[in-house]
């Protein structure tokens, strides 16, 4: 089972965290299932950028990015070459390391 290493984030996991999830699970689902309350305003349907993450290691283990995700990421705050929407990034077999950006474009937080 792959491990997702989450780098420290002041709000979501100040100490950082490592979580395991089955292959075929999205990063967003894995984080939520393991107590990391990442924003996901569109309920994980690739219609916003609130679940934006930066993949620091293990990008090749994730599913290919589709056109809709590429288009949506253009709107993300702090976009980097290794950015993904965590709701669309599906885990493969290898471990990944992610960083949750400090800010998102969401003006009001949702309580999902």
């Amino acid at each position: 089972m792959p491990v997702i290493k989450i780098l420290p984030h002041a709000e979501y996991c100040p100490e950082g965290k490592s979580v395991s999830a089955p292959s075929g699970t999205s990063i967003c689902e894995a984080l939520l299932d393991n107590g990391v309350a990442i924003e996901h305003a569109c309920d994980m349907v690739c219609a916003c950028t609130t679940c934006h993450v930066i993949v620091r290691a293990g990008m090749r283990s994730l599913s290919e990015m589709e056109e809709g995700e590429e288009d949506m990421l253009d709107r993300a705050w702090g976009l980097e070459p290794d950015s993904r929407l965590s709701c669309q990034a599906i885990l493969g077999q290898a471990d990944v390391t992610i960083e949750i950006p400090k800010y998102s474009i969401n003006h009001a937080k949702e309580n999902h």
Side-chain angles (χ1 to χ4, degrees):
M1 200 175 328
V3 172
I4 303 168
K5 179 180 178 183
I6 305 130
L7 298 177
H9 182 281
E11 184 177 348
Y12 298 113
C13 53
E15 305 296 318
K17 189 171 187 174
S18 292
V19 301
S20 296
S23 297
T25 303
S26 75
I27 290 175
C28 189
E29 291 170 314
L31 297 181
L32 294 170
D33 288 348
N34 286 281
V36 180
I38 189 169
E39 292 185 58
H40 56 290
C42 74
D43 285 330
M44 298 183 272
V45 297
C46 195
C48 73
T49 63
T50 60
C51 72
H52 169 223
V53 296
I54 302 160
V55 182
R56 296 296 184 200
M59 181 68 93
R60 290 186 178 165
S61 178
L62 299 174
S63 59
E64 292 281 326
M65 188 181 311
E66 294 185 10
E67 188 176 336
E69 181 182 0
E70 287 181 28
D71 292 343
M72 192 55 61
L73 272 172
D74 288 340
R75 302 174 188 173
W77 183 92
L79 184 66
E80 294 191 15
D82 292 325
S83 288
R84 292 292 305 263
L85 295 181
S86 65
C87 70
Q88 301 300 301
I90 307 301
L91 294 168
Q93 299 297 321
D95 297 347
V96 297
T97 300
I98 64 162
E99 179 179 349
I100 301 170
K102 185 174 181 178
Y103 302 108
S104 84
I105 63 167
N106 201 14
H107 296 289
K109 297 217 184 246
E110 306 290 331
N111 290 327
H112 289 273

